[in-house]
Amino acid sequence: MSATTAISNTQLRADLDGTVTAPGEPGYDEGRTVFYGGIDRRPAAIVRAANVDDVSRVIALARETGVELAIRSGGHSIPGHSTTDGGIVLDLRDLNALEIDVERRTAWVGGGVTTGRYTLAAAEHDLATPFGDTGSVGIGGLTLGGGVGYLVRKHGLTIDNLLAADVVTADGKLLRADADSHPDLFWALRGGGGNFGVVTGLQLRLHELETVVGGMLILPATPEAIHGFIAEAEAAPEELSAIANVMPAPPMPFLPPEQHGRLIIFAVLVYAGEAEAGERAMAPFRALAEPIADMLGPKPYPEIFVPAEEGFHPVASVRTMYVDTIDRSAAETIVEQLQASTAMMAAVQLRVLGGAAARVPVDATAYAHRRSPIMVNVAAMFGSSEEAPVHEPWVAGLAAALHQDGHGAYVNFLGDEGEERIRAAYPGETWDRLVAVKRRYDPTNLFRLNQNIPPG
Ligand SMILES: Cc1cc2nc3c(=O)[nH]c(=O)nc-3n(C[C@H](O)[C@H](O)[C@H](O)COP(=O)(O)OP(=O)(O)OC[C@H]3O[C@@H](n4cnc5c(N)ncnc54)[C@H](O)[C@@H]3O)c2cc1C
């Protein structure tokens, strides 16, 4: 059945409180645009749900017609799972309620809120929940995959701070999942992605966080500095989390023009603790090499986030993995390979994990990589999909060169890489448990436009 015969947008409009945008109508192109470029899909309808009832009705329509259903929160899915050719996009951005309970240090947030908006609102009360490194990412997608960011070592992943979730499942029913109610679903939602239903609300724990010590530190990317950076990040107190991008220096105004294009470590460090101890924790990183730019210092937590570039929709090829170590030889490989890339932008991103995230038992959530100490993401960004055959082999080659045995993948950074890689995100028993929960809550695989866990 084709989507156009299966759904009537006139009927859909009559049935919903939210808006429906069809091909050719104003706002259609904007509504179908996702963060990554080169993803040019044409949904039959873009529904902006106004409330939970709208979500249930759209799910019912997809169930009855078999039309493909894409769930969109912040639109940052790397393989473009939040849009569809000929199906319905269920856009959650208007589920944007945000209630902060300062006394209890918890927040209820709609499934379509961005992490940046939440972080700003929480900071007004000197509070924070750990998310990722980019404020335009949706809380929906980020949380369901895990959520790894600047507070990971101090306060864990986002899912380690998830207290409850309201979910509309494939039968159209609204369930509240938490430690006591639907615990199997609650387990699966913490890492299993959008496989189990549409999350319309999340309850999250907040932590006291006024100022942090941190910001950008830019160092020349020699193998010694890269290897040293990782060693220092592993040795640092767990108040400190760092994300280091090894990449050619972009033409940013605060970088001297002679550095543009040279390989740098573009690092963002965050010390979530007392200022003096924070300054001390920064010293070993500053000592790795003469910094090209040093913006480390005390600041309100939201200022850590690099502002998003409006209209930036790069085409990207990515690979994600976990490794045990970045030794001298791995650092040399990174430098050599980055120098050989002809992409508009190529980068190797290194995130040292551990701390609070590693203290959670491996089987407590569907994110099973608790013992993996370092996450590595290799990425090439370029102007158009036609260039992919040049850059994709470069990304795959560098990922293979850095690969260490027995390690998996982080589901939120997977591209469209096939079942084997999805299974790498869910090793061992995690996969079997996820399949069982999927069978229970979505036996027909209605929610399949994701890193899919088939019901078997
Ligand atoms: C620039 C950039 C920076 C990033 N940085 C980080 C980072 O620092 N840390 C990190 O952990 N990840 C990071 N990510 C990865 C990010 O977490 C995932 O891409 C995530 O899926 C994006 O969520 P979204 O809601 O913005 O995306 P969307 O494209 O809207 O959603 C992606 C998928 O998630 C599911 N989904 C989303 N919302 C819901 C919901 N409410 N209910 C049910 N299913 C839902 C759906 O299956 C959907 O297809 C980054 C991605 C980008 C592009």
Side-chain angles (χ1 to χ4, degrees):
M1 195 181 332
S2 89
T4 33
T5 56
I7 60 167
S8 146
N9 284 335
T10 315
Q11 186 60 49
L12 201 50
R13 280 192 181 102
D15 288 347
L16 299 175
D17 298 321
T19 60
V20 178
T21 308
E25 292 182 352
Y28 178 75
D29 282 332
E30 198 196 330
R32 71 188 183 90
T33 303
V34 289
F35 175 79
Y36 277 108
I39 298 170
D40 185 24
R41 296 184 200 138
R42 303 189 66 80
I46 301 166
V47 174
R48 279 176 66 155
N51 48 41
V52 171
D53 283 348
D54 279 359
V55 171
S56 289
R57 287 188 197 112
V58 170
I59 288 175
L61 181 71
R63 198 177 55 234
E64 285 154 17
T65 58
V67 158
E68 188 170 67
L69 182 59
I71 311 301
R72 177 187 176 129
S73 177
H76 280 57
S77 158
I78 291 167
H81 284 148
S82 40
T83 184
T84 155
D85 255 332
I88 302 177
V89 171
L90 178 54
D91 186 330
L92 304 175
R93 75 182 76 188
D94 297 328
L95 301 187
N96 57 11
L98 178 46
E99 284 168 36
I100 294 176
D101 186 332
V102 176
E103 221 159 274
R104 291 202 177 129
R105 296 207 192 126
T106 59
W108 265 107
V109 57
V113 171
T114 62
T115 55
R117 189 181 145 225
Y118 177 109
T119 299
L120 281 173
E124 283 178 22
H125 307 282
D126 298 334
L127 296 170
T129 297
F131 297 119
D133 65 1
T134 302
S136 50
V137 170
I139 288 183
L142 178 113
T143 305
L144 294 173
V148 181
Y150 294 130
L151 302 174
V152 65
R153 284 157 56 83
K154 175 68 178 164
H155 294 304
L157 279 78
T158 308
I159 50 170
D160 302 334
N161 297 278
L162 183 66
L163 301 171
D166 282 348
V167 193
V168 183
T169 46
D171 57 8
K173 290 202 184 111
L174 175 67
L175 305 179
R176 177 155 299 174
D178 60 23
D180 301 318
S181 169
H182 303 286
D184 55 344
L185 180 59
F186 188 53
W187 173 85
L189 290 172
R190 287 174 292 161
N195 273 284
F196 309 97
V198 175
V199 173
T200 53
L202 305 99
Q203 189 187 29
L204 292 155
R205 188 182 295 123
L206 287 153
H207 301 272
E208 240 177 276
L209 190 67
E210 194 184 341
T211 49
V212 296
V213 181
M216 277 186 226
L217 178 69
I218 301 190
L219 301 168
T222 59
E224 296 75 31
I226 296 167
H227 167 61
F229 190 99
I230 297 305
E232 294 300 346
E234 287 184 306
E238 68 185 47
E239 280 73 16
L240 189 143
S241 298
I243 299 180
N245 289 291
V246 187
M247 60 195 277
M252 286 175 140
F254 56 85
L255 294 176
E258 67 275 13
Q259 292 291 345
H260 296 175
R262 288 200 191 151
L263 273 197
I264 55 168
I265 303 175
F266 187 125
V268 176
L269 296 93
V270 173
Y271 184 92
E274 195 258 314
E276 247 174 65
E279 288 292 344
R280 274 199 304 279
M282 299 298 155
F285 295 93
R286 288 176 156 138
L288 286 168
E290 178 72 33
I292 298 166
D294 179 347
M295 297 179 214
L296 300 173
K299 45 179 71 80
Y301 178 55
E303 283 184 21
I304 288 296
F305 295 86
V306 180
E309 214 180 297
E310 274 299 309
F312 179 58
H313 296 292
V315 182
S317 174
V318 295
R319 283 292 184 288
T320 184
M321 74 189 98
Y322 297 96
V323 297
D324 282 333
T325 168
I326 293 291
D327 59 14
R328 203 24 236 247
S329 138
E332 272 166 19
T333 304
I334 291 171
V335 169
E336 279 161 24
Q337 293 295 311
L338 282 169
Q339 278 164 345
S341 169
T342 56
M344 180 175 82
M345 179 56 72
V348 174
Q349 184 184 74
L350 304 165
R351 300 181 182 217
V352 169
L353 307 171
R359 281 195 292 275
V360 176
V362 168
D363 62 358
T365 68
Y367 177 96
H369 305 288
R370 302 288 179 174
R371 306 287 173 265
S372 299
I374 304 167
M375 184 191 289
V376 180
N377 299 312
V378 180
M381 292 184 185
F382 35 95
S384 90
S385 308
E386 277 142 40
E387 293 176 51
V390 178
H391 304 299
E392 173 62 26
W394 177 86
V395 171
L398 179 48
L402 296 175
H403 178 83
Q404 293 168 15
D405 274 352
H407 292 282
Y410 175 41
V411 72
N412 270 350
F413 285 134
L414 277 181
D416 196 357
E417 299 174 41
E419 187 187 325
E420 199 187 318
R421 291 282 288 157
I422 301 174
R423 290 187 76 136
Y426 303 119
E429 280 181 19
T430 303
W431 178 261
D432 301 335
R433 276 178 82 178
L434 283 168
V435 170
V437 179
K438 177 78 173 177
R439 208 174 282 152
R440 180 153 181 214
Y441 292 94
D442 184 18
T444 64
N445 208 5
L446 182 76
F447 303 108
R448 59 186 176 274
L449 202 49
N450 44 40
Q451 300 295 356
N452 196 232
I453 298 157

